[in-house]
Amino acid sequence: QVQLVESGGGLVQAGGSLRLSCAASGSIFSINAMGWYRQAPGKQRELVAVAISGGSTNYADSVKGRFTISRDNAKNTVYLQMNSLKAEDTAVYYCNAELVTWGSRRRLDYWGQGTQVTVSS
């Protein structure tokens, strides 16, 4: 019913930049929030940044001032601009959307397949 397709991961040197994109498609009625999580080997998945309808955003303390999240509501797409990347940013990054589908009155979470970001020091 709903698909989240991510792109933009890869290998970059410390101090470099990457831009992740995630497009949601399918039977979508409304999207409340879209965001990015990450999971490094041996660690729990953690919130990186989220953009909520109405314009508010939240960031993990570890990425504040370096990462910027933005949404294109017309395209149901969320972006994550990552600057000044550090080795500790290495992880699989997952797109998340909290949305309502046509025919459902409940907000549900949907996840992308994940994209690898590797920062070499």
Side-chain angles (χ1 to χ4, degrees):
Q1 281 186 334
V2 174
Q3 279 191 319
L4 300 183
V5 179
E6 301 142 338
S7 61
L11 173 65
V12 65
Q13 288 188 335
S17 298
L18 283 175
R19 188 189 193 214
L20 305 183
S21 300
C22 172
S25 62
S27 184
I28 298 170
F29 174 72
S30 65
I31 299 178
N32 179 58
M34 295 188 79
W36 293 92
Y37 289 71
R38 67 186 180 187
Q39 188 167 18
K43 295 187 177 181
Q44 289 189 330
R45 190 173 297 189
E46 63 176 0
L47 173 69
V48 177
V50 61
I52 302 170
S53 294
S56 63
T57 57
N58 288 319
Y59 294 91
D61 288 343
S62 59
V63 307
K64 284 181 181 177
R66 300 188 298 121
F67 292 9
T68 302
I69 191 169
S70 60
R71 279 176 63 176
D72 184 335
N73 293 326
K75 296 181 179 179
N76 288 339
T77 299
V78 64
Y79 305 96
L80 185 68
Q81 178 66 43
M82 305 185 292
N83 298 329
S84 302
L85 282 160
K86 304 176 181 179
E88 50 263 44
D89 294 318
T90 295
V92 178
Y93 283 69
Y94 295 92
C95 176
N96 170 268
E98 182 187 70
L99 57 85
V100 178
T101 58
W102 286 101
S104 170
R105 295 186 181 273
R106 296 182 300 161
R107 286 180 184 171
L108 296 175
D109 277 323
Y110 291 84
W111 293 89
Q113 79 283 0
T115 184
Q116 177 71 44
V117 171
T118 303
V119 183
S120 63
S121 56

Coordinates of all heavy atoms in Angstrom, one line a residue, residues 21-68:
S21 N 17.5 11.3 0.3 CA 16.2 11.6 -0.1 C 15.3 10.4 0.2 O 15.7 9.2 0.2 CB 16.1 11.9 -1.6 OG 16.9 13.0 -1.9
C22 N 14.0 10.6 0.5 CA 13.1 9.6 0.7 C 11.7 10.0 0.2 O 11.2 11.0 0.6 CB 13.0 9.3 2.2 SG 11.6 8.1 2.7
A23 N 11.2 9.2 -0.7 CA 9.9 9.5 -1.4 C 8.9 8.5 -0.9 O 9.1 7.3 -1.0 CB 10.0 9.5 -2.9
A24 N 7.7 9.0 -0.4 CA 6.6 8.1 -0.1 C 5.6 8.0 -1.2 O 5.3 9.1 -1.8 CB 6.0 8.6 1.2
S25 N 5.1 6.8 -1.4 CA 4.1 6.7 -2.5 C 3.1 5.6 -2.1 O 3.4 4.8 -1.2 CB 4.8 6.3 -3.8 OG 5.5 5.0 -3.7
G26 N 2.0 5.6 -2.8 CA 0.9 4.7 -2.5 C -0.3 5.3 -2.1 O -0.6 6.5 -2.4
S27 N -1.1 4.6 -1.3 CA -2.5 5.1 -1.0 C -2.4 6.0 0.3 O -2.9 5.6 1.4 CB -3.4 3.9 -0.7 OG -4.7 4.3 -0.4
I28 N -1.8 7.2 0.1 CA -1.6 8.1 1.2 C -2.7 9.1 1.3 O -2.9 9.9 0.3 CB -0.2 8.7 1.1 CG1 0.9 7.7 1.1 CG2 0.0 9.8 2.2 CD1 2.3 8.2 0.7
F29 N -3.3 9.3 2.4 CA -4.3 10.3 2.6 C -3.6 11.6 3.2 O -3.8 12.7 2.7 CB -5.4 9.8 3.6 CG -6.4 10.9 4.0 CD1 -7.3 11.4 3.1 CD2 -6.4 11.4 5.3 CE1 -8.2 12.4 3.4 CE2 -7.3 12.4 5.6 CZ -8.2 12.9 4.7
S30 N -2.8 11.4 4.2 CA -2.1 12.5 4.8 C -0.9 12.0 5.5 O -0.8 10.9 6.0 CB -3.0 13.3 5.8 OG -3.3 12.4 6.9
I31 N 0.1 12.9 5.6 CA 1.4 12.6 6.3 C 1.6 13.5 7.5 O 1.6 14.8 7.3 CB 2.6 12.7 5.4 CG1 2.4 11.7 4.2 CG2 3.9 12.4 6.1 CD1 3.6 11.7 3.2
N32 N 1.7 13.0 8.7 CA 1.9 13.9 9.8 C 3.4 14.2 10.0 O 3.7 15.4 10.3 CB 1.4 13.2 11.1 CG 1.6 14.0 12.3 OD1 1.1 15.1 12.4 ND2 2.4 13.5 13.3
A33 N 4.2 13.3 9.9 CA 5.6 13.5 10.1 C 6.5 12.6 9.2 O 6.1 11.5 8.9 CB 6.0 13.3 11.6
M34 N 7.6 13.1 8.8 CA 8.6 12.3 8.1 C 9.9 12.6 8.7 O 10.3 13.7 9.1 CB 8.7 12.6 6.6 CG 7.4 12.3 5.8 SD 7.6 12.5 4.0 CE 8.4 11.0 3.6
G35 N 10.7 11.5 8.9 CA 12.0 11.7 9.5 C 13.0 10.6 9.2 O 12.8 9.8 8.3
W36 N 14.2 10.8 9.8 CA 15.3 9.8 9.6 C 15.8 9.3 10.9 O 15.9 10.0 11.9 CB 16.4 10.6 8.9 CG 16.1 11.0 7.5 CD1 15.6 12.2 7.1 CD2 16.3 10.2 6.3 NE1 15.4 12.2 5.8 CE2 15.8 11.0 5.3 CE3 16.7 8.9 6.1 CZ2 15.8 10.6 3.9 CZ3 16.8 8.5 4.8 CH2 16.3 9.3 3.7
Y37 N 16.0 8.0 10.9 CA 16.6 7.3 12.0 C 17.9 6.6 11.5 O 18.1 6.5 10.3 CB 15.7 6.2 12.6 CG 14.5 6.7 13.3 CD1 13.4 7.4 12.6 CD2 14.4 6.6 14.7 CE1 12.3 7.9 13.3 CE2 13.3 7.1 15.4 CZ 12.3 7.7 14.7 OH 11.2 8.2 15.4
R38 N 18.7 6.2 12.4 CA 20.0 5.5 12.0 C 20.3 4.4 13.0 O 19.9 4.5 14.2 CB 21.1 6.5 11.8 CG 21.6 7.1 13.1 CD 22.7 8.1 12.8 NE 23.2 8.8 14.0 CZ 24.1 9.8 14.0 NH1 24.5 10.3 12.8 NH2 24.5 10.3 15.1
Q39 N 21.0 3.4 12.5 CA 21.4 2.3 13.3 C 22.8 1.9 13.0 O 23.1 1.5 11.8 CB 20.5 1.1 13.2 CG 20.7 0.0 14.2 CD 19.6 -1.0 14.3 OE1 18.8 -1.1 13.4 NE2 19.5 -1.8 15.3
A40 N 23.7 2.1 13.9 CA 25.1 1.7 13.7 C 25.2 0.2 14.2 O 24.4 -0.2 15.1 CB 26.0 2.6 14.5
P41 N 26.3 -0.5 13.8 CA 26.5 -1.9 14.2 C 26.5 -2.0 15.7 O 27.3 -1.2 16.4 CB 27.8 -2.2 13.5 CG 27.9 -1.4 12.4 CD 27.2 -0.1 12.8
G42 N 25.8 -2.9 16.3 CA 25.8 -3.1 17.7 C 25.1 -2.1 18.5 O 25.1 -2.2 19.8
K43 N 24.4 -1.2 17.9 CA 23.7 -0.1 18.6 C 22.2 -0.1 18.3 O 21.8 -0.7 17.2 CB 24.3 1.3 18.3 CG 25.7 1.4 18.8 CD 26.2 2.9 18.6 CE 27.6 3.1 19.2 NZ 28.0 4.5 19.0
Q44 N 21.4 0.5 19.1 CA 20.0 0.6 18.8 C 19.7 1.7 17.8 O 20.5 2.6 17.6 CB 19.2 0.9 20.1 CG 19.2 -0.2 21.1 CD 18.3 0.1 22.3 OE1 18.1 1.3 22.7 NE2 17.7 -0.9 22.9
R45 N 18.6 1.5 17.1 CA 18.2 2.6 16.2 C 17.8 3.8 16.9 O 17.2 3.8 18.0 CB 16.9 2.1 15.4 CG 16.6 3.0 14.2 CD 15.4 2.4 13.4 NE 15.8 1.1 12.8 CZ 15.1 0.4 11.9 NH1 14.0 1.0 11.5 NH2 15.5 -0.7 11.4
E46 N 18.3 5.0 16.4 CA 18.1 6.2 17.1 C 17.5 7.3 16.1 O 17.8 7.3 14.9 CB 19.4 6.8 17.7 CG 20.5 7.1 16.7 CD 21.7 7.7 17.3 OE1 21.7 7.9 18.5 OE2 22.6 8.0 16.6
L47 N 16.8 8.2 16.7 CA 16.2 9.3 15.9 C 17.4 10.3 15.5 O 18.2 10.6 16.3 CB 15.2 10.1 16.7 CG 14.7 11.4 16.0 CD1 13.8 11.1 14.8 CD2 13.9 12.2 17.0
V48 N 17.4 10.7 14.2 CA 18.3 11.7 13.7 C 17.6 13.0 13.6 O 18.1 14.0 14.2 CB 18.9 11.2 12.4 CG1 19.8 12.3 11.8 CG2 19.7 9.9 12.5
A49 N 16.5 13.0 12.9 CA 15.8 14.3 12.7 C 14.4 13.9 12.2 O 14.2 12.9 11.5 CB 16.5 15.1 11.6
V50 N 13.5 14.8 12.5 CA 12.1 14.6 12.1 C 11.5 16.0 11.7 O 11.8 17.0 12.4 CB 11.2 13.9 13.2 CG1 11.2 14.8 14.5 CG2 9.8 13.6 12.7
A51 N 10.7 16.0 10.7 CA 10.0 17.2 10.2 C 8.5 16.9 10.3 O 8.0 16.0 9.7 CB 10.3 17.5 8.8
I52 N 7.8 17.7 11.1 CA 6.4 17.5 11.4 C 5.5 18.5 10.6 O 6.0 19.6 10.4 CB 6.1 17.7 12.9 CG1 7.0 16.7 13.7 CG2 4.7 17.5 13.3 CD1 7.0 16.9 15.2
S53 N 4.4 18.1 10.2 CA 3.5 19.0 9.5 C 3.2 20.2 10.3 O 3.0 20.1 11.5 CB 2.1 18.3 9.2 OG 2.3 17.2 8.3
G54 N 3.3 21.4 9.6 CA 3.2 22.6 10.3 C 4.5 23.3 10.4 O 4.6 24.5 10.7
G55 N 5.6 22.5 10.1 CA 6.9 23.2 9.9 C 7.9 22.9 11.0 O 9.1 23.3 10.9
S56 N 7.5 22.3 12.1 CA 8.5 22.1 13.2 C 9.4 21.0 12.9 O 9.1 20.0 12.2 CB 7.8 21.9 14.5 OG 7.0 20.7 14.5
T57 N 10.6 21.1 13.4 CA 11.6 20.0 13.2 C 12.3 19.7 14.6 O 12.4 20.6 15.5 CB 12.7 20.5 12.2 OG1 13.3 21.7 12.7 CG2 12.1 20.7 10.8
N58 N 12.8 18.5 14.7 CA 13.6 18.1 15.9 C 14.8 17.4 15.4 O 14.8 16.6 14.4 CB 12.8 17.2 16.8 CG 11.7 18.0 17.5 OD1 11.9 19.1 18.0 ND2 10.5 17.3 17.6
Y59 N 15.9 17.6 16.1 CA 17.2 16.9 15.8 C 17.8 16.3 17.0 O 17.6 16.7 18.1 CB 18.2 18.0 15.3 CG 17.8 18.6 14.0 CD1 17.1 19.8 13.9 CD2 18.2 18.1 12.8 CE1 16.7 20.4 12.7 CE2 17.9 18.7 11.6 CZ 17.1 19.8 11.6 OH 16.8 20.4 10.4
A60 N 18.5 15.2 16.8 CA 19.3 14.6 17.8 C 20.4 15.6 18.1 O 20.9 16.4 17.3 CB 20.0 13.3 17.4
D61 N 20.8 15.7 19.4 CA 21.9 16.7 19.8 C 23.1 16.5 19.0 O 23.9 17.4 18.7 CB 22.1 16.5 21.3 CG 21.0 17.1 22.2 OD1 20.2 17.8 21.6 OD2 21.0 16.7 23.4
S62 N 23.4 15.2 18.7 CA 24.7 14.9 18.0 C 24.8 15.4 16.6 O 25.9 15.5 16.0 CB 24.9 13.4 18.0 OG 23.8 12.7 17.3
V63 N 23.6 15.8 16.0 CA 23.7 16.3 14.6 C 23.3 17.7 14.5 O 23.3 18.3 13.4 CB 22.8 15.4 13.7 CG1 23.2 13.9 13.8 CG2 21.3 15.6 14.0
K64 N 22.9 18.4 15.6 CA 22.4 19.8 15.5 C 23.6 20.6 15.0 O 24.7 20.5 15.4 CB 22.0 20.2 16.9 CG 20.6 19.7 17.3 CD 20.3 20.3 18.7 CE 18.9 19.8 19.1 NZ 18.5 20.2 20.5
G65 N 23.2 21.5 14.0 CA 24.2 22.4 13.4 C 24.9 21.8 12.3 O 25.6 22.5 11.5
R66 N 24.8 20.5 12.0 CA 25.4 19.8 10.9 C 24.4 19.3 9.9 O 24.7 19.3 8.7 CB 26.3 18.7 11.4 CG 27.4 19.2 12.4 CD 28.4 18.0 12.7 NE 27.7 16.9 13.4 CZ 27.7 15.6 12.9 NH1 28.3 15.4 11.7 NH2 27.1 14.7 13.6
F67 N 23.3 18.8 10.4 CA 22.3 18.2 9.5 C 21.1 19.1 9.4 O 20.7 19.8 10.4 CB 21.8 16.8 10.1 CG 22.9 15.7 10.1 CD1 24.2 16.0 9.7 CD2 22.5 14.4 10.4 CE1 25.1 15.0 9.7 CE2 23.4 13.4 10.3 CZ 24.8 13.7 10.0
T68 N 20.4 19.0 8.2 CA 19.2 19.8 8.0 C 18.2 18.9 7.4 O 18.5 18.3 6.3 CB 19.5 21.0 7.2 OG1 20.5 21.9 7.8 CG2 18.2 21.9 7.0

